[in-house]
Amino acid sequence: MPREKSVNKDTVETVANTTFEVLPLLRKKLLRMDVVQAEHNMPMSQVQMLAMLGENGALSVSEISKRLGIAKPNITPLIDRLIDEGFVERRRDENDRRVVNVVLLPAGEEKLTSIRETIVRQVMRWTGTIPEKEFFELEHALQTISTVLESAQI
């Protein structure tokens, strides 16, 4: 296995500091998740769960817990609320009956579409305040961040 190159300490510090500075800006300036939560009457953890299920179709309770960083006992009430709304359902895994999967239902897909439309409306507002060149640079930067984070073994 090839040895990884070590990253310059200054670069590490710059990434750490920039991440620390950018996170609040993302939440307050770019995506106003408080607006999304209020408009859809749904806490962020449920929005995230719907998004994960939208990408994957179904996930085990353990996988949801791991991805959200929330203990399994605390996931249960979140799932129960989404079940009560008709957005998801629990299904036993056909290959391993001990595993319970959470499956996105058509109503959940519709809710997720509506949430994404709210986010698109927010992003549309940026187009009037961010020059086109910078808007495309932002798109590229966000795609790069997504790629790096998805492939990183953090």
Side-chain angles (χ1 to χ4, degrees):
M1 176 186 255
R3 188 170 174 215
E4 298 272 332
K5 290 183 185 178
S6 64
V7 178
N8 176 313
K9 185 175 188 273
D10 291 339
T11 303
V12 170
E13 287 178 6
T14 300
V15 168
N17 290 332
T18 304
T19 301
F20 185 71
E21 292 169 6
V22 166
L23 288 177
L25 294 173
L26 287 173
R27 297 189 91 181
K28 292 186 190 260
K29 291 200 172 200
L30 286 183
L31 281 183
R32 298 284 317 274
M33 293 313 289
D34 56 330
V35 172
V36 172
Q37 292 174 81
E39 184 174 322
H40 296 280
N41 194 29
M42 183 177 281
M44 191 63 207
S45 54
Q46 289 179 9
V47 171
Q48 290 173 312
M49 193 179 307
L50 286 180
M52 284 189 311
L53 292 171
E55 290 176 19
N56 298 284
L59 290 170
S60 69
V61 173
S62 295
E63 185 63 24
I64 292 169
S65 172
K66 179 178 154 188
R67 290 182 183 201
L68 287 179
I70 299 173
K72 277 203 282 187
N74 297 332
I75 291 293
T76 301
L78 297 175
I79 294 169
D80 289 344
R81 280 187 232 124
L82 291 173
I83 288 172
D84 291 345
E85 296 290 330
F87 297 144
V88 302
E89 71 179 11
R90 287 185 184 93
R91 289 187 191 156
R92 292 262 177 213
D93 187 289
E94 293 176 8
N95 298 319
D96 186 346
R97 302 283 297 156
R98 297 170 296 175
V99 176
V100 176
N101 290 315
V102 180
V103 179
L104 188 64
L105 297 175
E109 290 174 10
E110 289 175 22
K111 185 65 163 181
L112 188 54
T113 297
S114 179
I115 290 167
R116 287 187 173 131
E117 288 169 358
T118 298
I119 294 169
V120 167
R121 281 195 313 273
Q122 287 185 25
V123 174
M124 282 298 293
R125 288 189 207 116
W126 307 347
T127 61
T129 61
I130 301 173
E132 185 176 5
K133 181 178 183 267
E134 289 179 11
F135 192 82
F136 287 113
E137 288 173 3
L138 177 62
E139 174 195 22
H140 179 72
L142 291 171
Q143 287 176 348
T144 300
I145 289 168
S146 179
T147 300
V148 167
L149 293 177
E150 284 177 10
S151 65
Q153 295 183 10
I154 301 173

